[in-house]
Amino acid sequence: MPESRIFQKLLLLLPLAYTPHPQLPHNDDGDREVQHWNYEYYGNDWGGTCRTGLRQSPIRLAVHKSLIVPLPRIVFGNYDKKLRSPLKLVNNGHSAHMDIPETRDNSKPFIAGGLLKDRYIAEGLHFHWGSPNWRGSEHSIKDQRFDVEMHIVHRNSRYTDLKEALNHKDGIAVLGVMFKIVQEPDSVFPGLNKIFAQLPKIKKYKQEANIVGSLTLGQLLGNLNTRDFFTYKGSLTTPECEESVTWTVFSQPLPISFAAVSRFWNLRSNDGYRLVNNYRSIQPRNSRPVYYRTSTNQISNLIG
Ligand SMILES: [Zn+2]
């Protein structure tokens, strides 16, 4: 264990001497002040709901263990409109995070459909990744992790802000998009590349970089097949692991270059060490239903 981490742990044992930083910047799932936490033990040392909840995330996903139902597809509202500048990518110590502002014509990108009964407004996005030896998606599909998982966090429009939404079972909707390293990506996604291009500028904790040029949320989905997805009721995957999330995880990955993924590996956490393997360990499903929506008629091919 590195010396500074031993030191931090000693500090944590001295509550009178150590006050957690009162204003940690963005947690990677929202603007919340949380005590110091990290991924050293893949989240197994986190407290509160993270330890006691029964609908925690991430979980293992598999078509043959899902209920295959004719759900509506996800509707993407204003995902084709350019977002207002400046768009800032920030190293918040746990991830590369971007707040999602209104569009240039003052509308808000939102989603609906799937299991969602309301309209959910896009609030922010961030990524989870591994390291040169480990793949770093949070959800696994058919017991396989992908290299990177992007989360686009949305808040139920019935609630005033993310903080309030976190207190409700139907408060949050997160889209999970998987990325898989391919030798030579046959398609290049300009929107995603605009984000990946800024990663070298936010290597250190609290560093920020502006996205260059215009960006729509739709561009971040590239040519993703959004008709096929898993969906279930779960939690945030970062403290305090609030059980307010309806997850929609698309089953088909987007391609990503090795060069882009290695930029994530070069980021540093708030303690100065490499920010790698920032994914939480798989959580018990506890007999929750997981639904799978597919545009394919031949279910037998999927399960085989
Ligand atoms: Zn996340």
Side-chain angles (χ1 to χ4, degrees):
M1 186 181 293
E3 259 179 31
S4 78
R5 289 205 176 177
I6 294 172
F7 183 59
Q8 276 179 345
K9 281 184 189 304
L10 287 173
L11 285 176
L12 285 167
L13 293 173
L14 296 168
L16 290 175
Y18 176 68
T19 309
H21 198 297
Q23 284 211 317
L24 280 179
H26 302 109
N27 173 270
D28 78 347
D29 282 310
D31 289 310
R32 288 170 300 128
E33 294 170 8
V34 291
Q35 298 202 347
H36 177 83
W37 59 271
N38 60 32
Y39 286 98
E40 193 173 353
Y41 301 104
Y42 303 100
N44 294 326
D45 58 334
W46 301 343
T49 317
C50 304
R51 192 180 293 277
T52 58
L54 292 174
R55 55 170 270 194
Q56 290 288 298
S57 296
I59 59 171
R60 285 190 178 87
L61 300 169
V63 172
H64 70 281
K65 289 183 178 169
S66 305
L67 299 165
I68 298 166
V69 289
L71 287 168
R73 57 183 294 177
I74 297 290
V75 175
F76 298 92
N78 298 321
Y79 260 59
D80 58 344
K81 292 185 179 170
K82 289 176 181 172
L83 296 168
R84 191 181 280 171
S85 304
L87 285 167
K88 281 190 197 301
L89 192 67
V90 56
N91 177 337
N92 65 12
H94 305 299
S95 185
H97 170 95
M98 191 182 90
D99 277 339
I100 299 173
E102 292 186 341
T103 63
R104 290 182 185 176
D105 65 355
N106 304 325
S107 47
K108 295 180 176 178
F110 68 89
I111 55 168
L115 273 192
L116 307 173
K117 295 194 168 52
D118 296 293
R119 194 176 264 210
Y120 286 72
I121 295 164
E123 290 274 354
L125 63 87
H126 61 266
F127 299 84
H128 299 269
W129 58 86
S131 55
N133 297 321
W134 298 98
R135 291 177 176 161
S137 73
E138 296 213 291
H139 291 90
S140 68
I141 298 180
K142 240 181 163 178
D143 282 327
Q144 290 214 331
R145 276 185 199 280
F146 289 90
D147 295 290
V148 174
E149 184 170 336
M150 175 172 71
H151 289 158
I152 309 181
V153 179
H154 303 70
R155 174 252 314 172
N156 192 326
S157 57
R158 291 203 281 142
Y159 307 122
T160 52
D161 54 26
L162 210 47
K163 195 176 169 206
E164 188 198 342
L166 285 168
N167 296 323
H168 298 272
K169 284 179 182 168
D170 62 351
I172 306 284
V174 183
L175 298 181
V177 179
M178 302 295 183
F179 291 89
K180 182 181 173 135
I181 294 175
V182 294
Q183 286 286 337
E184 288 176 32
D186 54 5
S187 21
V188 178
F189 307 118
L192 285 164
N193 281 336
K194 283 177 190 170
I195 289 187
F196 301 152
Q198 300 307 317
L199 290 171
K201 295 183 192 159
I202 61 160
K203 278 186 187 169
K204 290 182 188 163
Y205 175 48
K206 287 186 175 180
Q207 278 184 324
E208 295 181 345
N210 287 343
I211 306 295
V212 178
S214 65
L215 189 69
T216 71
L217 281 187
Q219 286 170 345
L220 302 184
L221 301 180
N223 63 352
L224 183 69
N225 168 8
T226 59
R227 291 163 303 177
D228 295 4
F229 56 81
F230 295 94
T231 182
Y232 75 98
K233 306 278 189 181
S235 74
L236 294 191
T237 62
T238 52
E240 305 292 318
C241 307
E242 286 90 339
E243 300 191 320
S244 54
V245 181
T246 303
W247 280 95
T248 301
V249 180
F250 300 107
S251 53
Q252 291 183 21
L254 287 176
I256 190 171
S257 69
F258 181 86
V261 178
S262 58
R263 287 179 186 167
F264 284 110
W265 300 335
N266 284 327
L267 267 52
R268 305 264 164 177
S269 66
N270 46 5
D271 59 11
Y273 289 91
R274 268 186 205 285
L275 178 52
V276 288
N277 301 324
N278 62 346
Y279 59 89
R280 187 186 189 197
S281 61
I282 294 282
Q283 301 297 303
R285 183 165 150 182
N286 295 323
S287 70
R288 270 176 288 176
V290 175
Y291 304 94
Y292 186 64
R293 186 217 190 255
T294 178
S295 50
T296 304
N297 290 322
Q298 293 178 312
I299 302 298
S300 55
N301 290 350
L302 294 167
I303 296 174

